[in-house]
């Protein structure tokens, strides 16, 4: 079937009252950006609570168009439509509906319900009249079809607006909020399963992302860095380009290893990561940090450990996976396409320097005391790590840009 347009349905945006236009404009912008990667020419427009993607070329690729739209946060549903020029002659609409029904469902024993909406009040028939007459016409043309107003196989929707729009299926979208409507946050991105999912989850609520990755050569290989870059690219298919800050953490880790109690290595290393990520966040106008932590998953993610980690931050720390179990996180990772990359066997700096018996209930006062000797030793290292962090712009299907 040749669709002329796609009706874009949203959910939460409709509750925004007088500010709704801000979210609609952001959604229109995101749709236009995503459609640039789809074959064909498209225009995106708004009309009285509706957003439309109009096809402007006959050689467009339907699957590519749908795939692009299914990567846009804020879209709850995508309805491929047949459009007919507005006409007061009922037979014009009737013929279009029968043609649509035949091509979509043939003469199968499908149950259906017609739902009409007459936004253009100059049209001579009311919505109930349209429902009744169109339903009658379908039953006459397709004897095997039957009406079911409660649980139909098909809800055939007809909207009378500037055009007469006909559609029978709604393809689920991602939902959430349009990108950029909730500021920008800094993701602590590792090569594991959790952090890409955490970034995706916060971006789905409308936040733009930057990311910080801690690299420890020669203890972590160049392949581990490439793995994280690949993850950033994969997440960027949903979030748009991500500026990835690669921090050389080797000297700081070695100093922690040499001067701190080994059972405290993990928590102290985590605290320094948070300090550095926060400094980069402030430099790049981010208003929060994002981590993939989940309560009790590892020693550094107990409630007591999270208290110690939070202590060094002034920005809020967002942990969207905090109550997820591992399988729930894996399910999302598989859904968004990051799982296979995350399980590649290239270790990051956290795994290399893990303590054999890490403290699971750290006491903040004791951790601060351990850091007193370390602080003057690593002060210049920390400053250097922040100032010399490599910034790489990651985007899907495009080369990295320094």
């Amino acid at each position: 079937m040749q669709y002329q347009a796609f009706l874009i349905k949203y959910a939460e945006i409709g509750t925004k009252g007088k500010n709704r236009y801000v979210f609609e404009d952001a959604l229109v912008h995101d749709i236009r950006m995503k459609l640039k990667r789809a074959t064909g020419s498209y225009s995106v427009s708004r009309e009285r609570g509706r957003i439309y993607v109009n096809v402007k070329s006959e050689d467009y690729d339907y699957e590519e168009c749908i795939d692009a739209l299914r990567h846009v946060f804020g879209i709850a549903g995508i309805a491929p439509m047949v459009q007919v020029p507005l006409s007061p002659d009922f037979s014009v609409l009737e013929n279009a509906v029968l043609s649509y029904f035949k091509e979509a469902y043939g003469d199968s024993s499908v149950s259906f319900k017609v739902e009409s909406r007459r936004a253009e009040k100059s049209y001579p028939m009311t919505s109930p009249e349209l429902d009744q007459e169109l339903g009658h016409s379908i039953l006459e043309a397709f004897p095997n079809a039957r009406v079911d107003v409660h649980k139909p196989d098909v809800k055939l929707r007809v909207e009378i607006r500037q055009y007469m729009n006909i559609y029978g299926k709604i393809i689920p979208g991602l939902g959430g909020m349009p990108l950029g409507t909730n500021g920008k946050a800094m993701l602590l991105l590792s090569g594991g399963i959790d952090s890409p999912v955490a970034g995706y989850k916060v971006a789905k609520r409308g936040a733009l992302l930057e990311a910080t990755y801690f690299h420890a050569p020669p203890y972590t290989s160049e392949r581990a860095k490439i793995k994280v870059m690949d993850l950033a690219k994969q997440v960027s298919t949903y979030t748009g380009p991500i500026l990835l800050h690669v921090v050389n953490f080797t000297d700081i880790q070695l100093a922690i290893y040499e001067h701190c109690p080994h059972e405290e290595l993990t928590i102290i290393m985590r605290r320094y990561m948070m300090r550095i990520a926060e400094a980069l966040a402030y430099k790049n106008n981010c208003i929060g940090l994002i981590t993939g932590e989940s309560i009790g998953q590892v020693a550094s993610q107990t409630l007591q450990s999270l208290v110690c980690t939070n202590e060094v931050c002034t920005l809020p720390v967002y942990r969207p996976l905090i109550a997820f179990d591992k399988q729930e996180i894996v399910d999302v990772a598989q859904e968004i396409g990051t799982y296979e990359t995350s399980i590649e066997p290239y270790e990051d700096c956290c795994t290399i320097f893990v303590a054999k018996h890490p403290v699971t209930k750290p006491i903040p006062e004791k951790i601060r005391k351990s850091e007193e000797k370390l602080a003057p030793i690593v002060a210049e290292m920390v400053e250097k790590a922040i100032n010399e962090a490599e910034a790489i712009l990651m985007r899907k299907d495009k080369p990295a840009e320094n």
Side-chain angles (χ1 to χ4, degrees):
M1 185 177 298
Q2 188 71 19
Y3 298 105
Q4 291 86 23
F6 300 86
L7 171 62
I8 304 302
K9 292 181 172 287
Y10 52 71
E12 288 180 76
I13 294 174
T15 68
K16 296 303 179 182
K18 293 181 180 179
N19 290 327
R20 188 168 73 178
Y21 76 94
V22 175
F23 295 87
E24 288 181 337
D25 285 346
L27 182 55
V28 167
H29 173 270
D30 290 350
I31 291 170
R32 286 173 177 156
M33 292 298 103
K34 286 292 192 295
L35 284 174
K36 286 183 177 181
R37 75 184 195 199
T39 301
S41 178
Y42 309 88
S43 66
V44 186
S45 59
R46 287 197 298 132
E47 174 204 326
R48 286 184 283 180
R50 289 288 191 271
I51 294 176
Y52 297 107
V53 172
N54 300 291
V55 179
K56 298 176 68 178
S57 57
E58 291 185 2
D59 62 340
Y60 85 101
D61 189 302
Y62 173 83
E63 296 297 336
E64 286 185 11
C65 178
I66 294 297
D67 183 67
L69 295 173
R70 292 192 71 184
H71 282 75
V72 178
F73 292 130
I75 294 179
I78 307 152
M81 300 190 308
V82 167
Q83 288 189 313
V84 182
L86 182 62
S87 170
D89 184 351
F90 173 72
S91 66
V92 174
L93 177 60
E94 180 185 37
N95 290 335
V97 167
L98 293 178
S99 176
Y100 178 95
F101 199 94
K102 181 179 181 180
E103 192 165 350
Y105 312 109
D107 198 19
S108 61
S109 57
V110 66
S111 65
F112 73 94
K113 174 185 179 182
V114 179
E115 291 186 350
S116 302
R117 182 171 182 175
R118 188 186 61 150
E120 179 51 67
K121 301 304 181 184
S122 66
Y123 193 80
M125 297 174 68
T126 65
S127 295
E129 289 172 342
L130 285 169
D131 292 345
Q132 183 176 349
E133 292 301 321
L134 290 172
H136 177 72
S137 297
I138 292 171
L139 288 174
E140 280 197 333
F142 304 98
N144 290 327
R146 66 188 190 281
V147 173
D148 185 341
V149 296
H150 300 294
K151 293 182 179 181
D153 299 325
V154 175
K155 286 185 180 180
L156 185 65
R157 296 170 172 89
V158 176
E159 293 192 356
I160 309 298
R161 293 177 177 269
Q162 291 183 356
Y163 286 86
M164 298 188 290
N165 301 321
I166 305 162
Y167 61 98
K169 65 177 178 179
I170 300 175
I171 300 165
L174 291 174
M177 302 298 291
L179 287 169
T181 54
N182 274 310
K184 183 169 64 171
M186 181 67 74
L187 169 67
L188 279 79
L189 182 62
S190 71
I193 298 171
D194 304 337
S195 56
V197 174
Y200 167 86
K201 284 290 186 181
V202 173
K204 187 175 178 179
R205 302 308 306 159
L208 294 170
L209 296 185
E210 292 195 14
T212 299
Y213 163 61
F214 293 90
H215 193 45
Y219 301 98
T220 52
S221 67
E222 189 66 16
R223 190 61 191 84
K225 175 182 171 181
I226 293 171
K227 173 183 173 181
V228 172
M229 293 169 65
D230 288 341
L231 288 171
K233 284 184 182 179
Q234 288 161 354
V235 175
S236 78
T237 61
Y238 300 93
T239 67
I242 297 175
L243 190 62
L244 176 66
H245 304 272
V246 180
V247 175
N248 190 320
F249 202 55
T250 307
D251 291 343
I252 298 170
Q253 277 195 298
L254 290 174
I256 294 170
Y257 190 84
E258 184 177 346
H259 295 94
C260 297
H262 277 211
E263 68 274 12
E264 296 175 359
L265 290 179
T266 303
I267 191 67
I268 292 175
M269 179 181 71
R270 191 68 179 168
R271 281 161 66 97
Y272 271 94
M273 286 181 169
M274 299 298 280
R275 290 180 175 109
I276 292 170
E278 183 175 74
L280 290 169
Y282 275 119
K283 285 178 68 173
N284 291 275
N285 301 313
C286 297
I287 55 177
L289 303 177
I290 306 167
T291 76
E293 291 160 316
S294 170
I295 294 174
Q297 192 172 134
V298 294
S300 64
Q301 296 177 25
T302 63
L303 288 178
Q304 294 88 343
S305 295
L306 295 178
V307 168
C308 275
T309 301
N310 277 7
E311 187 183 53
V312 303
C313 299
T314 57
L315 284 176
V317 181
Y318 303 112
R319 297 181 171 96
L321 311 183
I322 196 68
F324 280 44
D325 63 37
K326 195 65 179 183
Q327 189 57 51
E328 289 174 316
I329 300 170
V330 166
D331 290 345
V332 179
Q334 291 175 328
E335 179 185 329
I336 66 175
T338 58
Y339 178 75
E340 293 300 328
T341 301
S342 291
I343 62 173
E344 289 178 1
Y346 303 104
E347 304 289 358
D348 61 26
C349 60
C350 300
T351 3
I352 298 295
F353 287 89
V354 69
K356 287 184 178 180
H357 303 288
V359 59
T360 58
K361 297 180 180 179
I363 300 168
E365 293 80 5
K366 187 177 179 183
I367 299 298
R368 286 197 297 270
K369 188 171 182 181
S370 296
E371 287 183 345
E372 285 177 3
K373 298 176 182 178
L374 179 67
I377 298 169
V378 299
E380 288 188 9
M381 298 178 191
V382 169
E383 194 68 24
K384 181 180 179 182
I386 294 167
N387 293 333
E388 296 184 3
E390 179 185 11
I392 310 170
L393 188 63
M394 307 306 305
R395 59 179 71 185
K396 189 67 175 175
D397 303 325
K398 293 270 183 112
E401 299 176 17
N402 288 315

